[in-house]
Amino acid sequence: MINYDQSYSVSIILPILNEINSLKKTIKILNKINVQKEYLIIYSERLTNNSVKKEIINLKKRNKNISYKSQLRPFVGGAIDLGIKLAKKNYIVIMASDLETNPNELKNMIKVSKKNPKCIISADRWISQKGFYNYGIIKFLANFFFQKLIKIFFKYKILDFTFAYRLYPKNALKGYKIKELRHGFALEILLSPMKRGFEVITLPAKWKKRVEGSSSITIDSYFSYLRVLFRNI
């Protein structure tokens, strides 16, 4: 176990539909990081089934640092938006509960964050060898060309603007209300603090297709990235 400064603390936002086994595994891995933390599990009252809701309640009973809330606004961006508002610690972690974001990588993200406390730490699949596993060729090409499109308008030294696995100083997101509630939120909450002067450090990360549940991404989810892009140029 790694001992971090006791003043450093993280609020880990975990949106969930029904991927309860992956959520349990994620929390089990994250519990090994010896840092002050809280877990904010955000579920959908409409889409999360009752058995999963009961499992979340049982997780709370066994872990005093777990809180759970049903999201007020729709889609994954709505879940993240609520998590940001509920966060009490001095850093905010945004990741998935379905293991498409590797919870083991957070240990290094925190280590880098402690050395660069004013920076956003962003996982980046494009600087990693074999950063995409079972991603699908069409999605892969769409991602590749969209990253290139973003670079036309923004000259930031970042290759992966759309991977929503990040660690933020709380003041980078404090008071911010997400506008794009579909998957484009990931681009929005990177561009917004960067335009206000926050620097970003990228670390290699690997994406692996979930084994539980199904993707909620749709055609409109892809258009949501474009909406955010053209809203910010």
Side-chain angles (χ1 to χ4, degrees), residues 5 29-30 42 51 55 58 66 82 88 122-123 132 136 147 152 155 166 201 209 225 228:
D5 190 320
I29 293 170
L30 296 177
I42 313 298
S51 63
E55 291 269 21
N58 288 332
I66 286 179
L82 177 58
K88 297 182 178 69
S122 185
F132 298 84
Q147 305 294 345
I152 293 173
K155 303 304 180 183
R166 303 191 191 114
I201 296 173
K209 185 177 180 180
Y225 290 113
V228 172

Side-chain angles (χ1 to χ4, degrees), residues 6-25:
Q6 291 302 305
S7 66
Y8 190 99
S9 61
V10 292
S11 297
I12 302 173
I13 302 173
L14 292 165
I16 183 173
L17 290 181
N18 293 301
E19 310 88 356
I20 189 64
N21 293 319
S22 297
L23 174 67
K24 289 178 181 178
K25 185 173 181 179

Side-chain angles (χ1 to χ4, degrees), residues 162-175:
T162 59
F163 193 29
Y165 188 9
R166 303 191 191 114
L167 192 161
Y168 293 81
K170 188 175 183 179
N171 61 346
L173 295 175
K174 187 177 180 181

Side-chain angles (χ1 to χ4, degrees), residues 38-210:
E38 65 172 349
Y39 300 107
L40 303 171
I41 300 174
I42 313 298
Y43 66 93
S44 168
E45 190 64 52
R46 183 173 65 89
L47 299 176
T48 303
N49 65 53
N50 289 332
S51 63
V52 170
K53 291 175 188 174
K54 290 178 182 177
E55 291 269 21
I56 293 172
I57 293 171
N58 288 332
L59 275 174
K60 163 66 176 175
K61 290 177 180 177
R62 297 193 299 270
N63 298 268
K64 64 180 181 179
N65 56 347
I66 286 179
S67 300
Y68 58 87
K69 284 277 187 180
S70 62
Q71 61 189 86
L72 305 174
R73 303 169 73 200
F75 309 118
V76 64
I80 298 299
D81 186 65
L82 177 58
I84 292 170
K85 289 177 172 60
L86 296 174
K88 297 182 178 69
K89 305 302 183 182
N90 51 25
Y91 288 84
I92 296 174
V93 174
I94 295 173
M95 60 186 300
S97 59
D98 57 17
L99 297 174
E100 287 187 343
T101 54
N102 185 347
N104 291 290
E105 294 169 347
L106 183 59
K107 188 181 294 185
N108 190 42
M109 294 170 72
I110 290 175
K111 183 178 181 180
V112 174
S113 174
K114 284 189 63 64
K115 294 178 180 178
N116 303 273
K118 295 182 180 180
C119 293
I120 298 167
I121 312 301
S122 185
D124 192 316
R125 297 162 294 185
W126 287 101
I127 60 175
S128 174
Q129 288 188 345
K130 298 181 180 179
F132 298 84
Y133 182 75
N134 282 345
Y135 196 67
I137 187 63
I138 294 176
K139 286 177 63 178
F140 181 84
L141 291 173
N143 190 299
F144 175 82
F145 287 112
F146 187 69
Q147 305 294 345
K148 298 299 183 185
L149 176 63
I150 297 172
K151 294 289 280 187
I152 293 173
F153 300 100
F154 298 100
K155 303 304 180 183
Y156 302 128
K157 294 180 180 179
I158 296 174
L159 298 179
D160 198 342
F161 288 84
T162 59
F163 193 29
Y165 188 9
R166 303 191 191 114
L167 192 161
Y168 293 81
K170 188 175 183 179
N171 61 346
L173 295 175
K174 187 177 180 181
Y176 188 77
K177 183 175 182 179
I178 293 175
K179 301 177 182 66
E180 183 56 58
L181 299 182
R182 293 184 183 271
H183 287 72
F185 84 91
L187 176 61
E188 178 183 339
I189 62 172
L190 186 63
L191 292 180
S192 176
M194 290 182 73
K195 289 166 74 174
R196 290 187 286 122
F198 283 90
E199 295 185 7
V200 177
I201 296 173
T202 57
L203 297 179
K206 294 185 178 181
W207 182 98
K208 184 178 180 181
K209 185 177 180 180
R210 68 175 74 193

